[in-house]
Amino acid sequence: SQIGLTQQNAVQLALVNNPELFAYYENLEVGYADFLEAGLRENPVFKKTTRNSFEPEFRVNKEFETMTNFLDYFLIPFRQNAELADLHVIEAEFEQKVLDLIEMVQINWLLVKTMELILDQEAVHVEIKELAAGLSEEQRKAGNVSALEARTRAIEFQEAVEKWKGLNAELA
């Protein structure tokens, strides 16, 4: 039993140690990278042309060109909007996974705490049944109750012990 574990600590441990959540977080980082990449233009293409002439009156002719996709300037906002929409979907999925995990951990933590309380209550019940069985046995020896009555109390004590053991095993 983890008596020292608070509900908040259980949630923190689950959030930090959940591989599925980590995979969603990685997907979120990829979504941010895709969004940033969507805002970039394609690299321009540089071209250099050199023409050499074998005649002395002509000099060397050099041309430099830079080409870029002009449509890229118009498509960047559309690509960014599409990636931003994808990013919002990924963020929503991530947030939902976090909330689902928190809910599951809180419910399970409450179930464990409830079982611990039931187990403590059953331990007290076992003690009462043990005292009742001992008292019945002493009363039988004194002749105040029948052997059947004393044996019934002893059986009730053993049943309470078995129930407590079963609950303890269930909690473990």
Side-chain angles (χ1 to χ4, degrees):
S1 113
Q2 298 180 349
I3 294 171
L5 184 65
T6 66
Q7 190 176 26
Q8 184 177 359
N9 289 346
V11 168
Q12 287 174 346
L13 285 171
L15 289 173
V16 170
N17 295 321
N18 189 292
E20 184 180 347
L21 199 60
F22 184 73
Y24 270 94
Y25 183 74
E26 291 290 324
N27 197 16
L28 187 61
E29 286 183 347
V30 170
Y32 284 130
D34 289 345
F35 174 70
L36 291 175
E37 185 180 346
L40 301 175
R41 293 186 321 252
E42 289 183 21
N43 289 333
V45 175
F46 296 102
K47 183 178 175 184
K48 175 189 168 207
T49 307
T50 306
R51 285 184 237 145
N52 293 322
S53 175
F54 295 109
E55 296 182 24
E57 64 239 22
F58 296 109
R59 293 189 296 172
V60 175
N61 185 1
K62 294 182 183 178
E63 279 184 25
F64 295 95
E65 293 178 39
T66 302
M67 293 186 293
T68 186
N69 186 352
F70 187 68
L71 284 176
D72 213 22
Y73 290 100
F74 296 108
L75 294 178
I76 286 175
F78 295 112
R79 285 197 316 250
Q80 281 182 318
N81 287 340
E83 289 299 331
L84 186 60
D86 287 346
L87 185 59
H88 287 311
V89 168
I90 294 169
E91 286 174 339
E93 288 174 349
F94 179 73
E95 291 167 0
Q96 189 60 50
K97 284 291 179 187
V98 168
L99 292 175
D100 290 346
L101 181 63
I102 289 171
E103 177 188 30
M104 182 189 71
V105 169
Q106 288 177 337
I107 288 171
N108 286 328
W109 185 86
L110 288 171
L111 288 173
V112 167
K113 289 302 175 184
T114 302
M115 284 297 294
E116 286 176 351
L117 290 173
I118 291 171
L119 194 59
D120 290 344
Q121 187 178 29
E122 283 300 315
V124 169
H125 189 237
V126 166
E127 287 179 31
I128 292 170
K129 290 293 182 180
E130 182 180 26
L131 290 173
L135 181 62
S136 267
E137 182 58 30
E138 291 301 318
Q139 286 179 331
R140 184 197 60 80
K141 288 178 185 176
N144 294 336
V145 294
S146 68
L148 179 62
E149 181 72 22
R151 186 69 189 134
T152 302
R153 298 292 167 254
I155 291 171
E156 287 173 353
F157 166 63
Q158 289 303 319
E159 288 173 348
V161 168
E162 291 304 316
K163 183 177 178 182
W164 180 81
K165 284 180 182 178
L167 288 172
N168 206 7
E170 191 177 320
L171 184 60

mmCIF file of all heavy atoms in Angstrom, residues 3 41 106 108 117 134 136 138 157:
data_model
loop_
_atom_site.group_PDB
_atom_site.id
_atom_site.type_symbol
_atom_site.label_atom_id
_atom_site.label_comp_id
_atom_site.label_asym_id
_atom_site.label_seq_id
_atom_site.Cartn_x
_atom_site.Cartn_y
_atom_site.Cartn_z
ATOM 1 N N ILE A 3 0.632 4.559 1.167
ATOM 2 C CA ILE A 3 -0.088 5.515 1.988
ATOM 3 C C ILE A 3 0.465 6.924 1.781
ATOM 4 O O ILE A 3 -0.260 7.896 1.782
ATOM 5 C CB ILE A 3 -0.045 5.086 3.468
ATOM 6 C CG1 ILE A 3 -0.826 3.786 3.624
ATOM 7 C CG2 ILE A 3 -0.597 6.161 4.380
ATOM 8 C CD1 ILE A 3 -0.714 3.130 4.959
ATOM 9 N N ARG A 41 10.378 30.130 -47.636
ATOM 10 C CA ARG A 41 10.372 30.047 -49.097
ATOM 11 C C ARG A 41 11.375 28.991 -49.529
ATOM 12 O O ARG A 41 12.288 28.641 -48.789
ATOM 13 C CB ARG A 41 10.791 31.388 -49.705
ATOM 14 C CG ARG A 41 9.816 32.501 -49.486
ATOM 15 C CD ARG A 41 10.248 33.753 -50.250
ATOM 16 N NE ARG A 41 11.680 33.958 -50.228
ATOM 17 C CZ ARG A 41 12.293 34.915 -49.536
ATOM 18 N NH1 ARG A 41 11.600 35.757 -48.821
ATOM 19 N NH2 ARG A 41 13.599 35.037 -49.575
ATOM 20 N N GLN A 106 -6.553 9.698 -11.260
ATOM 21 C CA GLN A 106 -7.338 10.141 -10.105
ATOM 22 C C GLN A 106 -8.359 9.083 -9.692
ATOM 23 O O GLN A 106 -8.538 8.811 -8.499
ATOM 24 C CB GLN A 106 -8.024 11.470 -10.404
ATOM 25 C CG GLN A 106 -7.056 12.638 -10.436
ATOM 26 C CD GLN A 106 -7.726 13.945 -10.817
ATOM 27 O OE1 GLN A 106 -8.775 13.960 -11.444
ATOM 28 N NE2 GLN A 106 -7.109 15.048 -10.436
ATOM 29 N N ASN A 108 -8.209 5.812 -10.279
ATOM 30 C CA ASN A 108 -7.506 4.660 -9.709
ATOM 31 C C ASN A 108 -6.939 4.970 -8.329
ATOM 32 O O ASN A 108 -6.942 4.112 -7.447
ATOM 33 C CB ASN A 108 -6.407 4.178 -10.649
ATOM 34 C CG ASN A 108 -6.980 3.450 -11.848
ATOM 35 O OD1 ASN A 108 -8.013 2.810 -11.750
ATOM 36 N ND2 ASN A 108 -6.328 3.568 -12.980
ATOM 37 N N LEU A 117 -9.027 1.981 2.964
ATOM 38 C CA LEU A 117 -9.960 2.246 4.057
ATOM 39 C C LEU A 117 -10.794 1.004 4.386
ATOM 40 O O LEU A 117 -11.012 0.683 5.564
ATOM 41 C CB LEU A 117 -10.873 3.420 3.709
ATOM 42 C CG LEU A 117 -10.210 4.796 3.673
ATOM 43 C CD1 LEU A 117 -11.183 5.842 3.147
ATOM 44 C CD2 LEU A 117 -9.696 5.184 5.041
ATOM 45 N N GLY A 134 -12.666 -15.258 21.492
ATOM 46 C CA GLY A 134 -11.965 -15.503 22.767
ATOM 47 C C GLY A 134 -12.909 -15.434 23.953
ATOM 48 O O GLY A 134 -12.845 -16.273 24.882
ATOM 49 N N SER A 136 -16.175 -15.925 23.892
ATOM 50 C CA SER A 136 -17.074 -17.086 23.825
ATOM 51 C C SER A 136 -16.384 -18.328 24.373
ATOM 52 O O SER A 136 -17.018 -19.141 25.074
ATOM 53 C CB SER A 136 -17.502 -17.349 22.389
ATOM 54 O OG SER A 136 -18.703 -16.713 22.100
ATOM 55 N N GLU A 138 -13.985 -18.448 26.590
ATOM 56 C CA GLU A 138 -13.889 -18.315 28.055
ATOM 57 C C GLU A 138 -15.252 -18.561 28.710
ATOM 58 O O GLU A 138 -15.329 -19.202 29.764
ATOM 59 C CB GLU A 138 -13.351 -16.928 28.432
ATOM 60 C CG GLU A 138 -11.899 -16.699 28.078
ATOM 61 C CD GLU A 138 -10.952 -17.687 28.744
ATOM 62 O OE1 GLU A 138 -11.128 -17.998 29.936
ATOM 63 O OE2 GLU A 138 -10.043 -18.181 28.032
ATOM 64 N N PHE A 157 -14.650 -15.756 13.265
ATOM 65 C CA PHE A 157 -13.331 -15.116 13.308
ATOM 66 C C PHE A 157 -12.471 -15.582 12.135
ATOM 67 O O PHE A 157 -11.852 -14.770 11.439
ATOM 68 C CB PHE A 157 -12.641 -15.426 14.649
ATOM 69 C CG PHE A 157 -11.183 -15.093 14.658
ATOM 70 C CD1 PHE A 157 -10.739 -13.778 14.502
ATOM 71 C CD2 PHE A 157 -10.225 -16.092 14.824
ATOM 72 C CE1 PHE A 157 -9.388 -13.476 14.516
ATOM 73 C CE2 PHE A 157 -8.879 -15.795 14.823
ATOM 74 C CZ PHE A 157 -8.452 -14.482 14.666
#
